[in-house]
Amino acid sequence: MFKNNLHHIYAWLLLSPALILMGTFTHIPSILTLISSFFSTGTKKFPSKFVGIENYEMIFDDPIFLEAVINNIWYAIATIVPSIILAILMALIVDSKLSGRVLVRMAYFTPTILPMIAVSNIWLFFYTPEIGLMDQIATNLGFNSQNWLGDKDTVLNCIILITIWKEAGFFMIFYLAALQNIPPELKEAAFLEGSSKFYFFRRITFPLLMPITLFVLINATLNSFKLVDHLFILTKGGPDNASNLILYYIYETAFSFLDSSYAATLTIFLLFALAIISIVQFMFFDKRTHYR
Amino acid sequence: MSFIELMNVSKFWGDVRAVEKLNIKIEEGEFVVLLGPSGCGKSTTLRLIAGLENVSSGGIFIGGKNVNNIDPSSRNISMVFQSYALFPHLNVEENIIFGLKVRKVKKGDRQVKLKNVAEKVGLSNLLKRKPAELSGGQRQRVALARAIISENPICLMDEPLSNLDAKLRHQMRSEIRSLQKELNITLIYVTHDQTEAMSMADKIVLLNEGEIVQQGRPKELYEKPENTFTAKFLGNPPMNLINLEVEREGNYIPIFEEKYFIKQKSDKKNILGIRPEDIEISKKGIKCTINDLDYQGSDVVLSLQLGNQEIYARIDSKKVEELDNQVYINWNNNNLHLFDFESGVRDVNQIWDAVDS
C-alpha cells in the first residue's frame, strides 16, 4: 500500500512541470474566460454581475461580428484550398530530379521562416498605390491605379494572397516528407503497367498523402481563424470592417472597446466552432485515409 | 535471333561502371537466372531489360526489335520487385487488377481474369484484405498475381524470395517454377542465392563486377567451371582451390617438407580445383589432419589441413565415427580441375595420371 502511494507521488511529481505550465497558461484562463462570459463587464459605477446568457444573445445581434464571421469563412476557404494545391505542386516539383532543387526547396520555404511583422511591412509596400509593386505591374499592363488595401472590394483578397504565399511553403515541407516516404518501386511498378503520371498521382500518390492532407487541413483551418498579425500592420480590420476577422474583432472588443466579458463570450463561441469543425473534418476524412 | 538478346550492353553512372559489354541470349519460355554477389550488376541488368534504366551503349532486343528507346510499359514485360511494391492503400484485388484498369480492360473480363489468377496463386479468400494485413508469403503471392494477370510473355523478378523464411522460400521456388512452365513465361530472375539459381534455372548467367563470368546450364557451371570465380561461387561448401607450386618436374602440392607431384604436361604455375564431395577418405594417399567437423545431418563437412592450406571434404556422416585425427585423402583424377594461377582461367588441355608422392 505504501509502495503504491509512493508510485502515485512520483507520477504526480513527474507530471507537475507540464501540469503547472499548461494550467497557468491554458486551462485556468480558458475556464476563467468561460466564467466571465456569463458576467457583465464591470466598471467603477457598475460592478460586474451575473447576466446568464445575455452576452451570448448579443452575438446574434452584432452586425460587425457577423461580417467578421463571413469574412473569415471566405478567408478560410480561399486560403486553405489554394495553399494545399500549391503545396502539393511545389512538393512534387522539388521531389523530382531537378538540378538545384535544394535552392528551390529553400526558396519555397523562406516565407515561413520570416517574421510576420516584417513580411507584412514588405507587402504593405507592394500594395502601396502608385509606387507599390502591384500598382506598377497593373499600370504597366494598362489597368488603372488602385488603392489595394484601401478598397473594400480588394482588401480581403490582398490579405488572402499574403497568407497563401506564406502557408503554401510551410505545408510543402509536410508533403515533401510524405512524398519521400513513398517507395520509388511503387512508381516503377505502376509505370511498367502503363500508368500515366497523372493516373499514378490520382490513384496512388494522392491517396497516400491523405494523412498529411488531413493534418494540414485541420492546421490550416485553425490558423485561418487565429490570424491577427497581418491585420495590425496592414489594415487594422478596415476599411469599414471589410478585412475584419474573428480573432482581430475579439482583440478589438477586449482591448480597444474594453468590453472583456463580451470578448470572452466571443472567444468561447469561436472555441466551440473550431472544435466542431475539427471533429467534423476528422470524422469525414478519417474514413477515407490510409494510415501506414 | 533469340527472343531476348542483349548485345554489348553497358551501363555507366558517370565514371562508375555498373555493367559492361553484356551479351546474353534468352529463348522463349526459358528460365534464366542472373546470379552474382552483391553489387555485381545483376539488378541493374534486370532494370535495363525492364527499361527502368537506359543503356549507356549496346542494344537490347525483344522479339527481334531494338527496345532501347521504347517505354517500359510497351516492352510487354511484367516485374516482381524485391519489396513487392504493393500499393498499401489498395486491397489485394485492386492491387492485382491495377494494370488491367490502367489499360481499361472491361470490368467483366477483369473479374474473370482476377478469379483465375487468384485461384492459381491461392489468394481467392483474401481479395478484400489490405497488404498490411497479409503475411510475407501472401504479399509475395499478390506481387506474383499482379505480374501474371497481365499475361505478358516476359516476367522479370528481382530477388523475389529474399524476404521469406527458409521453408516458405523452398515452397515458393517450386511454385514459381511450375507457374512459369504452365504459362510458358520467359522468366528472368535475379538472385544472389546459388541454391535458388541451381534448382530453378534453365540457364544461369553468373556476373561479377559488372561482367559476365560464365553462362550456361546449372550442370555445366557446376561441373565445368571456366574459372576460379565460378568454381568458388557455386557449391556449398565451394570447390577447394589448392595453390600448386612448380618445378622442372611439374606441379606439386607443398606439404611442409614433402612434395606431392601432380603429373601433367604444363610447367606453368596452376591452381588445383576439387569439389568437397569428390574427396575420398582412404587408407592411403595424402596425409591430412582434421581441423573441424561440421555436422549437417546426412553429410559431414570436414575441414582438413593440407600442408599450409585448408580444404573441405564432404563425407557420409555414418563414416565419421571411424575416423582418427589423421586421415589420408584420395581422389579420382577425372574429378580434378586445373586453373591458371595468374588468370584463374580453366586449363582445358590437361592430361591426368595419378597422384604421386
Side-chain angles (χ1 to χ4, degrees), chain A residues 185-186 188 191 193 203 290, chain B residues 47 83 88-89 94 103:
Chain A
E185 297 92 58
L186 294 189
E188 291 173 352
F191 288 168
E193 301 277 14
R203 286 286 313 277
H290 169 83
Chain B
R47 293 171 62 82
S83 61
H89 60 298
E94 289 291 327
R103 271 172 270 118

Side-chain angles (χ1 to χ4, degrees), chain A residues 153-196:
Chain A
D153 296 331
T154 51
V155 62
L156 190 57
N157 291 334
C158 286
I159 306 275
I160 285 168
L161 185 66
I162 301 174
T163 308
I164 295 170
W165 171 82
K166 182 191 162 220
E167 303 253 276
F170 182 54
F171 297 149
M172 177 206 73
I173 292 294
F174 295 107
Y175 280 113
L176 183 59
L179 280 177
Q180 288 178 340
N181 259 331
I182 298 178
E185 297 92 58
L186 294 189
K187 199 175 236 175
E188 291 173 352
F191 288 168
L192 271 170
E193 301 277 14
S195 157
S196 67

Side-chain angles (χ1 to χ4, degrees), chain A residues 112-288:
Chain A
T112 310
I113 57 175
L114 295 175
M116 262 347 279
I117 302 294
V119 162
S120 300
N121 275 304
I122 295 170
W123 279 88
L124 194 61
F125 283 120
F126 286 173
Y127 286 134
T128 309
E130 312 279 339
I131 56 164
L133 182 74
M134 292 294 165
D135 238 20
Q136 295 212 7
I137 294 172
T139 47
N140 274 332
L141 290 174
F143 294 98
N144 289 329
S145 171
Q146 175 110 25
N147 187 357
W148 297 95
L149 294 176
D151 188 327
K152 276 186 76 169
D153 296 331
T154 51
V155 62
L156 190 57
N157 291 334
C158 286
I159 306 275
I160 285 168
L161 185 66
I162 301 174
T163 308
I164 295 170
W165 171 82
K166 182 191 162 220
E167 303 253 276
F170 182 54
F171 297 149
M172 177 206 73
I173 292 294
F174 295 107
Y175 280 113
L176 183 59
L179 280 177
Q180 288 178 340
N181 259 331
I182 298 178
E185 297 92 58
L186 294 189
K187 199 175 236 175
E188 291 173 352
F191 288 168
L192 271 170
E193 301 277 14
S195 157
S196 67
K197 276 189 176 170
F198 179 72
Y199 187 83
F200 179 74
F201 178 79
R202 190 168 67 80
R203 286 286 313 277
I204 311 296
T205 313
F206 189 69
L208 288 179
L209 291 177
M210 268 316 260
I212 300 298
T213 305
L214 177 60
F215 169 79
V216 164
L217 199 60
I218 288 178
N219 261 300
T221 311
L222 297 181
N223 281 345
S224 71
F225 286 96
K226 289 194 311 199
L227 179 89
V228 267
D229 33 12
H230 307 20
L231 298 183
F232 276 116
I233 304 296
L234 292 166
T235 66
K236 301 223 174 351
D240 194 13
N241 291 316
S243 66
N244 207 349
L245 300 180
I246 296 175
L247 198 65
Y248 189 76
Y249 181 60
I250 293 174
Y251 168 82
E252 272 193 318
T253 310
F255 300 106
S256 302
F257 314 148
L258 297 175
D259 188 351
S260 57
S261 290
Y262 187 49
T265 313
L266 292 175
T267 306
I268 295 298
F269 185 82
L270 176 62
L271 223 66
F272 273 97
L274 287 183
I276 289 167
I277 292 173
S278 299
I279 290 167
V280 169
Q281 281 180 336
F282 200 75
M283 291 198 316
F284 180 78
F285 284 102
D286 206 37
K287 281 187 204 128
R288 290 157 184 76

Side-chain angles (χ1 to χ4, degrees), chain B residues 8-23:
Chain B
N8 279 320
V9 168
S10 301
K11 175 71 185 174
F12 289 84
W13 313 97
D15 285 338
V16 183
R17 176 177 75 173
V19 292
E20 190 165 15
K21 299 220 165 102
L22 300 185
N23 285 292

Side-chain angles (χ1 to χ4, degrees), chain A residues 35-73:
Chain A
I35 292 170
S36 69
S37 73
F38 294 109
F39 287 84
S40 66
T41 308
T43 57
K44 270 183 188 159
K45 257 186 188 167
F46 305 101
S48 171
K49 67 170 202 281
F50 184 76
V51 292
I53 58 163
E54 209 172 88
N55 283 328
Y56 288 90
E57 285 166 353
M58 262 168 69
I59 292 178
F60 299 97
D61 295 327
D62 182 348
I64 301 174
F65 182 68
L66 185 68
E67 196 174 350
V69 169
I70 292 168
N71 281 345
N72 221 146
I73 290 170

